[in-house]
Amino acid sequence: MNLHEYQARALLKAAGVPVPDGDVAATPSEAEAIARRVGGTVVVKAQVHAGGRGKAGGVKLARGPAEARECASQILGMTIKGLVVNKVLVVPAADIATESYVGLILDRKTQKPVFMVSDAGGIDIEEVAAKTPEKITRLPIDPRYGLLPHQALQLALALYKDWSQAKAAMQILRQLYGVFMANGCTLAEINPLVTTPEGKVLALDAKMTIDDNELDRRPDLAVLRDESSEEQSEVTARRANLTFIKLDGNVGCVVNGAGLAMATMDLVKYYGGEPANFLDIGGSSNPEKVVSALKIITADPNVKVILFNIFGGITRTDDVANGIVAATKQFKVDVPIVIRLTGTNEQEAFRILESVGMTAMNDMDAAVSKAVKLAGEAA
Amino acid sequence: MNLHEYQARALLKAAGVPVPDGDVAATPSEAEAIARRVGGTVVVKAQVHAGGRGKAGGVKLARGPAEARECASQILGMTIKGLVVNKVLVVPAADIATESYVGLILDRKTQKPVFMVSDAGGIDIEEVAAKTPEKITRLPIDPRYGLLPHQALQLALALYKDWSQAKAAMQILRQLYGVFMANGCTLAEINPLVTTPEGKVLALDAKMTIDDNELDRRPDLAVLRDESSEEQSEVTARRANLTFIKLDGNVGCVVNGAGLAMATMDLVKYYGGEPANFLDIGGSSNPEKVVSALKIITADPNVKVILFNIFGGITRTDDVANGIVAATKQFKVDVPIVIRLTGTNEQEAFRILESVGMTAMNDMDAAVSKAVKLAGEAA
Amino acid sequence: MSIWIGKDTRLVVQGITGRDGSFHTRQTMEAGTNVVAGVTPGKGGQLFDGKVPVFNTVAEAVQATGANCSVIYVPPAAAAGAMQEASDGGIPLVVCVTEGVPVLDMTTVMPYLAERGTRLIGPNCPGLITPGEAKVGIIPASICKPGRVGLVSRSGTLTYEVVHHLTASGFGQSTCVGIGGDPIVGTNFIDVLRAFQDDPKTEAIVMIGEIGGTAEQEAAEFVLSYLRKPVVGFVAGQTAPKGRRMGHAGAIISGSSGTADEKFAAFESAGIGIMRRPVDVVELLKARLK
Amino acid sequence: MSIWIGKDTRLVVQGITGRDGSFHTRQTMEAGTNVVAGVTPGKGGQLFDGKVPVFNTVAEAVQATGANCSVIYVPPAAAAGAMQEASDGGIPLVVCVTEGVPVLDMTTVMPYLAERGTRLIGPNCPGLITPGEAKVGIIPASICKPGRVGLVSRSGTLTYEVVHHLTASGFGQSTCVGIGGDPIVGTNFIDVLRAFQDDPKTEAIVMIGEIGGTAEQEAAEFVLSYLRKPVVGFVAGQTAPKGRRMGHAGAIISGSSGTADEKFAAFESAGIGIMRRPVDVVELLKARLK
């Protein structure tokens, strides 16, 4: 789960990391009030889960409260990479002497959180990483011992030559590590970490990703999810315990298992089609889940055909068949359904489907190519 | 630093460990008020750093507020093993079904905190440990991982067969471990951990020792020190940065280094004398420390002779000589002083002492046996 | 046995009385696996299905039954503790089926297990099966048959799909291992590939990866330098968008790294036979195994 | 060199610019030790006494100077971090002189150092000296002379007292090691005894213990089973009361265990020559070393 900048900033601030004054606003007049309070020139920043906000016009400079109101009214409601902006962050415009990058990432290879810091921070950090990786200092942290003083020192000295700035950075690194661990993050970064002309060190922007697997045991983190910034179909799917990701194609897919779901999408593409979604109904599925899945998929007007690909292991294929029958009784499905079922209880499943005049197939390739063909005919 | 029962209890309670109601009182009327509030029969317990309170009459049962007042007035001000009782804890008398022991001790051999639990708890736990050690379950805890769930379970099952009691114990073990680690303990024990006839698990008495080395960085723990319950000479010594322990003999000892100080006491005994104290002036001593040391020792009317044993390494023996001279100028020392100095700047030290008509020796055995002889003559 | 489990496996099931644990324990026993014990705290002393003794702790189970392998079906929040308990109880092979284990938990579980020399498979994995001998986890025994192909996969049902094609075309399996779809897993491709290389019963290897991370790329390098047996491979997620978690916590393309194209390219340069579709496994193996 | 330090020792001083660090560094250099670097964060680039380069971190110091031994004089709250830094920086022998290190800090320092194969001496110890070659710590070189007696002790000035008697009576020392008076120390009696047994330059051993714990008892058992060289021993604290910390954090008699009597008895049954007084060391060694 990605946090908005204002949420990440709040967690850092609570841990003691110096951040600029300012606050989040949902309306232009709130933005105006914040600008009035902080005074001077402010930056109005779209709060949205998408990179390249600046280039998309989602970050604006405002000289005073009136301009802040104006900027906020322009940004609020705009769409960046398909996502609507519902909130803006209003902060004083900072004078910047240097920009650094400080990130902490859960690394698969070392199986540890790894710090990445660079004194070449700012918006071009990905380019720095790609072209001059030697400018980035990487340091894995053993969570059994935490961030040790000499490690914080080593990282801080990679950022700053000035001793008082290095000491400030050590403190910020410790706080960032604390926030990462305390909130079950898989990523936490400050970019840029700036110094002001007076030599103060300040976290100007922050990004955080929380491990979805933490949310069940951490209701305090789960409430940070901003469903208004998500695809509504994905929100609905999550509430039905389905893993669903909307895509742009026209072949709706219902699959059990994440790997098989991806492979099914790939095979749709292989046979010349385009998948409309990723959808995993999970292992121990029941008929109601199938009903929910069909509801979500049929709500997408792009979908021209629905493809079931179920390999019954734990999943009972008769459960799936019953779900399909139940759904088609509850609401009308206007597009053709291609069904591939194999494995546990498949004979019973075939019988159930045949009893309502539906047919199923046994082979994945045959089912996928048929679905792609039907989608092509409907388009 | 040992905590009083009421202090240990407060730390456990703050961590969620179930303890009986009640509170600490410094006067009989406070004790009465507590007894009135909690109702029923109460126990009034002397708060003093000494074992065997019960046998010494420091723990009394009181049927109601009036009796509680009476018991408190008997206990407050009494002396147990040389220590004056300044406070009593007043708690409701609990019905007890079983008594267990739960302790967590910093173990030198495993270099870890070690849990020791036994379902044979209560006042005889030391006898259990000595005679039937197999009744005690020992489990070292790796602080890098903390107390793991299966370890808490193993310990809890060693205490209780009943599953709900075992679950309650798991929780208490986790809380006790948390308190131990969070407060820099070297020992934390609950004895007895009781079950009531209704099956509730309750910590009835607690004991805690905090590592003295934690106190510098933990002012919140340092304030828990109850100087009123200590030898005043030891309090004065600590404030002067001296390590001092009062003993019953008549040869006052001033030594640099803990090992040499113990060896000096041993040698006093070897030559037939009795040391009046342990006193370590530390490594980088200065003349003022020597003055403080002499003040503390001469305040003890038992002391018949003062023995200096200084091996100059880091310690400059001339500093010590200057301190002796300064002290004898500031106040009159009525008992003979035997001085052994050797090592760093010893010639200068001898000169300083001779300039005021004092003499020093070079050999430890000669100095100690002389001091013992003088003490014997004075006694 | 082929790799890691076989006729000598003595299995203890952690979470045996739970919904998933009891269901899969029955399946596992039906597959002929020697299930010697179950563990559910507070239920020690019971008998599961009238046959399998249930203990409060793994240590008790090991002492009483000589269990040498554990499978875990406890809820996600208890999974880390269960893995550590199994390891501390002396179990050399622990298979964690539980899905949804917080990844930070795994950062301390891994060194704990390493200190005790425990091999972990998973979490969030279907486990493994040596057809005809033993299964530990949830791979359906019905789709497998004994043979000479070793299979390793990050996925569940996609594995079954491939195994299904193998069995249908006459290729039996030595051992099938599902290593799991999480970012941190106890056993990676390389561990399994090495075991298959060293296993005389395994003559060819199928590797099924997916998007996210670089495990497949490292495995490809390892294949090039160490493996002397034919390998064919698939990568799921060619059509996955960037930055989205495709079900599995580990299946996420970050920036430009972890794509299926990148992984297929690594396979290609390591001489691994490329499966464009699951069904391709059959023809590729036929060409490589005479 | 005799054990652990000698002419090849290249010492880095952590906390070199502090009050204690600077004083003892000068003493150490006067004793002929090769002090190659100092470390004080924020003072990197300076020269200590115009000679010794100061670095911000141990890693930098090691890289620039090839330091192979570290001595620590930082304040107690920073000592754990300093030990871990030295270990992480690749120093194989770390001597922590700092007194007052919280013992819980040591419970995580020890496994950290063990994982990296670092030997720690201390904390709260006087360090060690190989007379005529090198000293690391605070044992006064002036009272020592090269020779064939190895000495190991939990104490500081008491060690000097014994060394003083040795030197005065003509017994030089191979190496003198002060292991420190804390409950948790990196190197214990047994480690040093084993090194002395294996050191051809050491012909007899003096062991100086004190009350608290069971380190002397375990050492006595080890002497009995492993040592083939004469050993004489002393235990300080025969007159110490129970339950009081006698200066050293480790010198405390708990219950009835850790008494000097108990330790002397263990010495006796291991055939260790009993020193009732420090001066007894001379006659005991004379009887054992011809």
Side-chain angles (χ1 to χ4, degrees), chain A residues 106 108-109 111-112 143-144 180-181 184-186 211-214 217 234 243 245 247 256-260 262-263 265-267 269-271 278 284 311 313-314 340 342 364-365, chain C residues 19 24 100-105 107 110-111 115 138 140 154-155 157-158 160-161 164 183-185 210 212-214 218 236-239 241 244-248 250 252 277 279:
Chain A
L106 202 287
R108 297 165 190 239
K109 212 183 289 186
Q111 307 192 325
K112 294 183 178 75
R144 297 176 301 163
F180 184 96
M181 297 304 288
C185 292
T186 54
D211 179 5
D212 289 340
N213 291 347
E214 293 281 352
R217 65 178 177 188
E234 296 183 6
T243 312
I245 293 170
L247 301 170
N256 66 324
L260 188 59
M262 282 189 276
M265 290 158 55
D266 294 349
L267 209 59
K269 181 96 171 177
Y270 180 90
Y271 284 111
F278 168 94
S284 40
F311 200 111
I314 317 161
R340 184 269 179 137
T342 196
M364 176 170 166
D365 283 74
Chain C
R19 195 180 57 110
H24 291 296
V101 180
V103 66
L104 281 189
D105 287 5
T107 63
M110 290 311 301
E115 286 171 7
I138 65 176
R154 270 169 76 182
S155 138
T157 44
L158 175 56
Y160 313 163
E161 179 75 29
H164 174 68
I184 295 185
V185 289
E210 59 189 35
T214 55
E218 288 141 29
Q238 300 163 58
T239 48
R244 303 302 305 270
R245 169 178 157 167
M246 304 300 282
H248 288 163
I252 180 165
R277 302 172 300 167
V279 69

Side-chain angles (χ1 to χ4, degrees), chain B residues 303-319:
Chain B
V303 169
K304 300 297 174 221
V305 62
I306 295 170
L307 167 65
F308 274 80
N309 184 16
I310 305 296
F311 200 110
I314 318 160
T315 311
R316 290 166 49 178
T317 58
D318 54 331
D319 276 350

